[in-house]
Amino acid sequence: MISKNKTSGRIAISPYFITMLLGICALLIVAAIIASPEEAFQASMQGLDVWWKVVFPALLPFLMLSQMLTAYGFTHGLGVLLDPLMRKMFRIPGPSGVGLAVGMSAGFPSGADTAVQLYRQKLITAKEVSRLASLTHFANPMTLLVVIGAAFYQNPIVGYVLILVHWASGIASGFILARFAGRNEVILTSTLESKTEIVPKTAMLHSMLQTASIAREKDGRSFGKLLGDTVSHAVQVLMMTGGAMIVFSVTIKLIGKYITPFFPDYIWSSFFEIHLGAYALRSTEIISSPLHFGLLAAAIGWGGLSSHWQVSALLKPYGISTSTFTFGRVLHACISYILVLMLWKPIQLWLESNKTVFGEFNIGSQGLTEPAMNGFELAGMLGMFLILLLMTFIFLSRWIVRWQSTRGPSSR
């Protein structure tokens, strides 16, 4: 069942063993559902409610937007500006900057979906897709601020701290992953060229428009066709996301009841699903305990096995390995935990300085109470995040070009 590959030295597991193991697990889950139908139903309603009221309205506009930007050549044109920043920090081509901005503003799995779109456009290689999927795997900032911070913990400062720690550790993990990338790894640039000299603004604008025009002509779809394709694809991805959340919500409930009833609820919840994990961690004193707050930050950095499954479903059809992605998740979680421990004193002072109590926010048998803002407000706020992130990336990219030009060719 388990053998060692003589050429690569890696341990290979027989697909028959994996199939048998997954089949047994599926049978056990079915048996547990039959034995506890009420608990399974309540758990599925929890997962469905979180998906419908939080995840669906937050992700749908951005999944559509990322595809439309790529089809109209915006991603290609913006890649000309972002190329220096993305190559210098993460060793991936410039168009990946759009995926990073989308992932940070909209949350997973939108970053991985954008990475796949870039791969289909032949703007990045298969190895870069896995690294980019890991780099862009951020939790939705409005989920951290409104749902987890203000609603779950009734303290919006918790959300602000989690966003800062989550983003900082995610960027750091992406930077470290880039150092592991082979120096001889070929970066597929397609129509983009790496330029480190200062280019006049008019020439840069002309280059952007030309690159975008070529990409638009290559796509060739009319607006009606493009709109239909983007809606269909976005809904399909979100249905997959909802299914994963519901399945793992039920799995968490059944494992906690039959296999590890002596474990705290937040252990399996944090491992499998980020929203339910953050909610279960309410039983701990995170404001007074750096270990528990670090565990919350690490669970958000890990993202939950549910989100891993979603990313795997996007990458596997193209034969892209998820090993780099998984390593990036572990690295993100570890850095988040260490960062909280290192900065705990200022974090604790900030947490205790302001505590605004909101109405009780429950995930019970009746479902999730209404979120603090509706889907339109949520999408608008995230849109502003996206614009600000893109502007920041463009500024940093231009600054890197000028900085490299002052140091001379030997520094590049």
Side-chain angles (χ1 to χ4, degrees), residues 90-300:
F90 307 114
R91 295 181 179 175
I92 47 181
S96 305
V98 176
L100 178 58
V102 169
M104 293 179 71
S105 58
F108 50 76
S110 58
D113 184 65
T114 305
V116 170
Q117 299 303 319
L118 295 176
Y119 176 70
R120 292 177 61 183
Q121 293 276 339
K122 299 184 178 179
L123 294 172
I124 56 177
T125 66
K127 290 184 178 179
E128 291 163 353
V129 171
S130 187
R131 279 200 291 124
L132 181 58
S134 179
L135 171 64
T136 59
H137 196 81
F138 290 94
N140 187 299
M142 289 298 103
T143 298
L144 299 182
L145 179 61
V146 177
V147 178
I148 295 179
F152 284 1
Y153 293 94
Q154 301 183 11
N155 187 348
I157 301 299
V158 172
Y160 288 118
V161 173
L162 288 175
I163 289 174
L164 294 177
V165 171
H166 187 56
W167 281 2
S169 55
I171 296 295
S173 65
F175 182 83
I176 294 172
L177 273 181
R179 306 311 111 180
F180 282 100
R183 292 188 175 273
N184 297 324
E185 182 178 314
V186 178
I187 298 181
L188 183 62
T189 58
S190 185
T191 58
L192 300 174
E193 298 177 357
S194 177
K195 297 183 179 181
T196 53
E197 67 274 5
I198 297 179
V199 181
K201 291 183 178 180
T202 54
M204 179 67 72
L205 181 61
H206 176 74
S207 178
M208 287 179 56
L209 294 176
Q210 186 179 33
T211 304
S213 178
I214 293 173
R216 173 64 185 135
E217 291 178 1
K218 185 177 180 181
D219 184 270
R221 284 178 290 178
S222 64
F223 177 77
K225 171 65 174 173
L226 177 61
L227 183 62
D229 290 345
T230 54
V231 171
S232 176
H233 176 78
V235 172
Q236 183 180 4
V237 172
L238 284 170
M239 292 297 290
M240 174 198 67
T241 302
M245 291 180 65
I246 293 172
V247 167
F248 280 103
S249 178
V250 174
T251 302
I252 291 168
K253 188 74 173 180
L254 297 178
I255 289 178
K257 180 177 181 178
Y258 290 107
I259 300 180
T260 56
F262 46 86
F263 274 17
D265 291 340
Y266 59 80
I267 297 295
W268 288 117
S269 299
S270 302
F271 179 75
F272 282 114
E273 217 287 314
I274 179 176
H275 303 86
L276 300 177
Y279 184 78
L281 276 165
R282 294 200 320 168
S283 61
T284 64
E285 294 293 332
I286 65 165
I287 294 181
S288 59
S289 172
L291 299 179
H292 288 139
F293 196 94
L295 181 60
L296 175 61
I300 294 172

